[in-house]
Amino acid sequence: MELPHPADRLALEVGIPDGVINVVPGYGPVTGAALAAHPGLKRLSFTGSPEVGRSIAEACGRNLVPVKLELGGKGAALVFDDVPLEQTVEKPVRAITFHTGQICCDATRWIVHRPIYDRFVSACAERLRQVKIGYQMAATTEMGPVVNEKQRRRVLDYLQRGRDEGAEVVLEGGAAEVPGRDGFYVKPALLAGSLDNVAAREEIFGPVAYLAAFEDEEEAVRMANRDGINTTMMLVGLRQGSDYITGRNLGPRLCRLGVSLHIRFSAGPSIAAVEATSHCFCRLGSRHGLGHHE
Amino acid sequence: MTSKPLSHGLPEVREFLDSGPLKGVLGGRDVESSNGETLTTLDPGSKEPLTTVYAMQPDDVDRAVRAATKAFSDSGWASMTANERGVLLHRLADAVEKRKPILAQIEALDAGKVLSQAEGDVQNFVDTLRYYTDLASHVQRRSPLAVARHEAWIARQPWGPCGFIFPWNFPILLIGWPWKWASPMA
């Protein structure tokens, strides 16, 4: 899964000097670990799981090499009762099906306002049932495989553990069959219930979302902000859009202390995305991103 | 390495995959792993082997860091103005964009990513690289500081050799993102 990209050779073709970009493919525990532990670096950047991130940070800490980590999370979507239902379903559904849910920062906990909970949940389940799972090169495919057997096992194990801990199964999920292709395919799944459930607390990295209902905004904030979970946020369905967030101070209240807040407003006035980048040790975007490398 | 029949496989993609074991790039040269070890990469959608890749060892990593260190001090890259680097980085962005169908297919096959999403990732890389390249040429390298009885300023200096470890979910896209090499390069 780690092909040395032809883009790197392109760098040489366009005249970027030898040695400015070097490409070192290999196994994480061998090649990656060696790079992280190298005292000759002035900076290291890593994207991956929190577990590996910790050992990378340790290695860099020992060498006093500044490190930037982009790790996993258990993002939350807060769905308020003023959503235009049909349009809105598409966004959280995409959050768990885009690249088969293998994204660090998308919403995998859907915290839904009680008055619309049943309708929203069944609309999402219906949409997810229609997702066309297939070979990633086929034009009709909406969702491809997960990347390997380990990841597929991980998804299936979390579904099992979630059920064992008492989660309600809204959409069963499980292994998927694609005619003519033997690949690592899984179906989308929805579990619901208590946010103490393992499937609601730990990152699954697949097409699975965990659902819970909230009565009022305060409860929604508490549910989204649970301790010990690295969270990015998506706010869905707000009457006043950005005014609501800043006016009610909802954005900052969604983030744990010490977390930098990145507000991004996605397509449509009724959908706002608030990303709390608690899994990054840095700020994102524009001059801040550039500043970290100067 | 014989290639398997690919759906929508471009000849350049097949040629690339057939040229395995794929080598790393150190100091401008294609290199094998020091112990010859290779790894096989599979197409997650079919479990079929795509190609083999040399698995670099710690001493290869050391040589890579040395190559980067040497390039930092000798190649002139670090002492170029942002505009001069910008010209080359824009050429890179253009070269990648021109080959987007090829790179997207490789990405989709390698990561199991839906082809249209892989194309989006390659475009994202190109757009991000262009954005940061242009931004870099407008950043003030020296800003004055008011310090009594001194001439003082803040001067931005290049970091030096930087390491990047990429994940398998958005390989090419994250090469372009700000905390990967687009902004350090610029």
Side-chain angles (χ1 to χ4, degrees):
Chain A
M1 311 144 288
E2 280 87 18
L3 287 181
H5 239 284
D8 307 307
R9 284 177 182 78
L10 288 178
L12 295 167
E13 271 179 42
V14 303
I16 292 173
D18 292 351
V20 172
I21 304 176
N22 300 282
V23 181
V24 196
Y27 289 111
V30 175
T31 320
L35 189 60
H38 204 291
L41 295 177
K42 297 300 179 226
R43 187 158 184 81
L44 184 90
S45 176
F46 167 79
T47 300
S49 72
E51 297 78 34
V52 177
R54 282 198 180 85
S55 58
I56 302 270
E58 235 180 77
C60 289
R62 267 196 300 277
N63 290 328
L64 298 180
V65 170
V67 64
K68 190 176 287 182
L69 305 174
E70 214 247 306
L71 307 176
K74 191 77 181 177
L78 270 60
V79 188
F80 290 80
D81 66 357
D82 59 327
V83 304
L85 206 76
E86 296 72 30
Q87 286 162 252
T88 308
V89 159
E90 205 55 42
K91 194 152 173 80
V93 161
R94 189 175 154 82
I96 63 163
T97 56
F98 188 83
H99 197 28
T100 322
Q102 299 166 112
I103 304 168
C104 51
C105 55
D106 244 328
T108 49
R109 291 180 294 146
W110 301 349
I111 303 175
V112 186
H113 215 160
R114 175 76 64 191
I116 55 156
Y117 180 86
D118 292 332
R119 277 187 302 137
F120 182 80
V121 167
S122 57
C124 288
E126 192 43 45
R127 178 67 189 92
L128 285 167
R129 271 185 208 104
Q130 295 161 4
V131 165
K132 296 187 199 67
I133 300 169
Y135 188 53
Q136 69 271 23
M137 309 304 282
T140 49
T141 297
E142 288 178 296
M143 191 170 93
V146 294
V147 79
N148 59 25
E149 180 56 29
K150 180 172 155 209
Q151 293 304 319
R152 192 171 82 132
R153 270 262 60 84
R154 179 192 177 128
V155 172
L156 299 177
D157 285 351
Y158 270 112
L159 289 177
Q160 184 62 54
R161 288 168 66 194
R163 285 194 294 263
D164 291 346
E165 285 189 18
E168 179 202 338
V169 178
V170 174
L171 187 64
E172 197 176 341
E177 297 292 323
V178 168
R181 296 282 175 186
D182 179 25
F184 309 112
Y185 299 100
V186 292
K187 296 185 228 177
L190 295 176
L191 297 177
S194 158
L195 289 177
D196 290 329
N197 191 292
V198 66
R201 286 182 294 106
E202 293 181 14
E203 186 178 29
I204 297 174
F205 226 62
V208 182
Y210 197 97
L211 297 145
F214 69 88
E215 307 299 334
D216 58 40
E217 185 191 300
E218 283 309 315
E219 190 185 10
V221 171
R222 272 198 313 275
M223 288 164 84
N225 242 0
R226 289 166 68 91
D227 262 341
I229 297 180
N230 284 334
T231 308
T232 57
M233 303 284 185
M234 185 164 74
L235 296 174
V236 184
L238 299 176
R239 252 173 231 110
Q240 295 98 343
S242 60
D243 291 343
Y244 187 80
I245 295 175
T246 51
R248 298 290 295 270
N249 207 29
L250 195 60
R253 284 194 291 133
L254 284 171
C255 309
R256 300 165 56 208
L257 286 170
V259 164
S260 67
L261 176 64
H262 176 198
I263 299 182
R264 178 184 59 146
F265 297 100
S266 311
S270 66
I271 297 175
V274 175
E275 290 181 41
T277 58
S278 60
H279 59 268
C280 297
F281 285 178
C282 64
R283 293 211 229 183
L284 309 176
S286 71
R287 285 178 187 276
H288 294 304
L290 197 59
H292 265 275
H293 289 282
E294 293 192 296
Chain B
M1 176 88 211
T2 50
S3 61
K4 306 291 172 185
L6 299 172
S7 329
H8 319 278
L10 291 170
E12 293 91 338
V13 172
R14 202 187 315 261
E15 196 187 307
F16 174 71
L17 295 175
D18 278 351
S19 67
L22 298 174
K23 302 185 173 123
V25 182
L26 255 73
R29 277 185 256 302
D30 287 350
V31 296
E32 302 176 2
S33 54
S34 60
N35 62 357
E37 188 181 332
T38 60
L39 57 92
T40 302
T41 178
L42 302 182
D43 168 2
S46 68
K47 293 189 190 167
E48 287 172 1
L50 285 174
T51 190
T52 50
V53 180
Y54 280 107
M56 298 285 156
Q57 302 301 306
D59 57 338
D60 300 313
V61 170
D62 184 57
R63 283 189 287 141
V65 176
R66 285 176 200 285
T69 307
K70 181 158 182 293
F72 181 68
S73 54
D74 297 353
S75 74
W77 182 257
S79 50
M80 281 183 206
T81 62
N83 306 68
E84 289 168 321
R85 281 196 295 272
V87 169
L88 297 177
L89 291 174
H90 270 294
R91 279 190 204 152
L92 179 61
D94 294 345
V96 170
E97 191 176 43
K98 194 165 133 193
R99 290 164 180 77
K100 187 164 79 171
I102 302 167
L103 295 173
Q105 275 197 15
I106 295 171
E107 189 85 338
L109 286 167
D110 184 36
K113 192 182 278 259
V114 167
L115 186 58
S116 57
Q117 291 171 16
E119 279 163 1
D121 283 6
V122 177
Q123 191 59 48
N124 187 291
F125 166 91
V126 169
D127 295 344
T128 308
L129 180 55
R130 286 178 177 148
Y131 175 80
Y132 277 95
T133 300
D134 289 346
L135 196 61
S137 62
H138 295 291
V139 166
Q140 262 194 318
R141 298 297 167 177
R142 270 154 78 106
S143 350
L145 269 179
V147 179
R149 297 184 300 284
H150 287 79
E151 263 185 55
W153 53 84
I154 299 173
R156 298 182 189 279
Q157 302 280 48
W159 277 92
C162 300
F164 302 93
I165 301 177
F166 299 97
W168 46 260
N169 59 341
F170 285 91
I172 191 164
L173 182 144
L174 284 171
I175 298 177
W177 269 24
W179 53 85
K180 296 304 171 184
W181 59 252
S183 54
M185 291 286 290

